[in-house]
Amino acid sequence: MADDSYRTIQQTAEGYYTEKRSRFISYAVPVRTVEEVKEQLDKYRKQYYDARHVCWAYMLGADRLTFRANDDGEPSSTAGKPILGQINSNELTDILIVVIRYFGGIELGTSGLIVAYRTAAAEAIAATTIEERTVDEDITVAFEYPYLNGIMRIVKEDNPQIISQKFEMDCEMTLRIRKGEADKLKNRLLKVETAYLK
């Protein structure tokens, strides 16, 4: 995988796993911020208020450096860590996985719990669609109106997404392009007379 791309999930998906009458309901949820993670966790805690445990793990950011795991009362490292392990083994980010456990009356033991939470997390991931996204950079270029054609030719050839544009005597465009291609685009834009980056 390139430095300027990452893997995430397209939509929320649900998984199930049962072991010795304990039921594990799992959700893989696309999230972008810690605030979104908190909102989603509140939602699932309210929805499954009668469950014994609501365990979770998340990973955020293209660099995959922001993550946390929580056992929610299960023995240490038997729930959050195996859930996080599934996020890592699929190289995913911008994802929250919540696993809700309804206790079935029979203890599963440490290894049984690890397998159950890992499997439940894997089921939720298997039910969603994984996609590769690019890490993009926004470039704002300013130039005088007579040079619009030159700029537009570059935009047409390099095909960045146009975020905003204003065409007056002084023109300005904000373009979004994959990070790995940003320098090439900047260099080409700067070759157009009067153009400068903001």
Side-chain angles (χ1 to χ4, degrees):
M1 214 164 43
D3 286 347
D4 61 356
S5 68
Y6 60 96
R7 284 159 55 90
T8 190
I9 59 170
Q10 279 182 359
Q11 75 279 9
T12 299
E14 211 173 316
Y16 294 98
Y17 181 70
T18 51
E19 180 65 35
K20 293 180 181 162
R21 297 210 300 269
S22 269
R23 288 188 303 131
F24 296 85
I25 304 161
S26 55
Y27 291 93
V29 186
V31 285
R32 299 301 283 269
T33 63
V34 175
E35 284 66 44
E36 277 182 62
V37 168
K38 286 178 180 151
E39 281 167 24
Q40 291 296 328
L41 287 172
D42 286 346
K43 182 181 104 175
Y44 288 111
R45 280 196 192 107
K46 281 191 185 98
Q47 191 177 339
Y48 294 98
Y49 65 91
D50 56 342
R52 172 78 65 97
H53 303 281
V54 178
C55 306
W56 49 268
Y58 69 79
M59 175 83 66
L60 298 175
D63 52 13
R64 303 181 73 243
L65 294 176
T66 306
F67 57 88
R68 260 189 79 194
N70 188 303
D71 295 316
D72 191 38
E74 290 283 28
S76 181
S77 301
T78 59
K81 224 174 175 175
I83 297 169
L84 188 61
Q86 285 303 305
I87 294 173
N88 279 324
S89 63
N90 287 280
E91 296 179 345
L92 295 169
T93 191
D94 289 350
I95 182 173
L96 163 69
I97 296 183
V98 183
V99 181
I100 296 109
R101 179 186 182 193
Y102 283 96
F103 185 56
I106 301 165
E107 295 292 338
L108 300 184
T110 311
S111 58
L113 285 171
I114 291 169
V115 168
Y117 280 102
R118 187 172 59 217
T119 308
E123 288 295 319
I125 292 170
T128 185
T129 309
I130 293 174
E131 65 178 4
E132 193 162 322
R133 291 193 191 155
T134 56
V135 179
D136 298 327
E137 191 175 321
D138 286 0
I139 299 166
T140 300
V141 61
F143 53 93
E144 288 174 13
Y145 191 79
Y147 301 96
L148 177 64
N149 286 347
I151 295 284
M152 290 312 284
R153 185 166 56 250
I154 295 167
V155 168
K156 199 170 167 209
E157 288 166 9
D158 285 17
N159 204 19
Q161 185 185 348
I162 298 170
I163 303 301
S164 68
Q165 50 191 15
K166 116 175 176 255
F167 301 135
E168 291 161 14
M169 266 319 288
D170 292 320
C171 302
E172 200 174 288
M173 284 181 92
T174 299
L175 308 168
R176 181 169 291 161
I177 194 160
R178 187 173 178 153
K179 204 171 182 178
E181 296 167 16
D183 285 344
K184 182 182 132 211
L185 178 61
K186 284 180 197 168
N187 291 335
R188 291 194 68 195
L189 292 169
L190 288 172
K191 286 192 176 113
V192 176
E193 270 188 75
T194 79
Y196 64 95
L197 301 178
K198 292 185 90 168

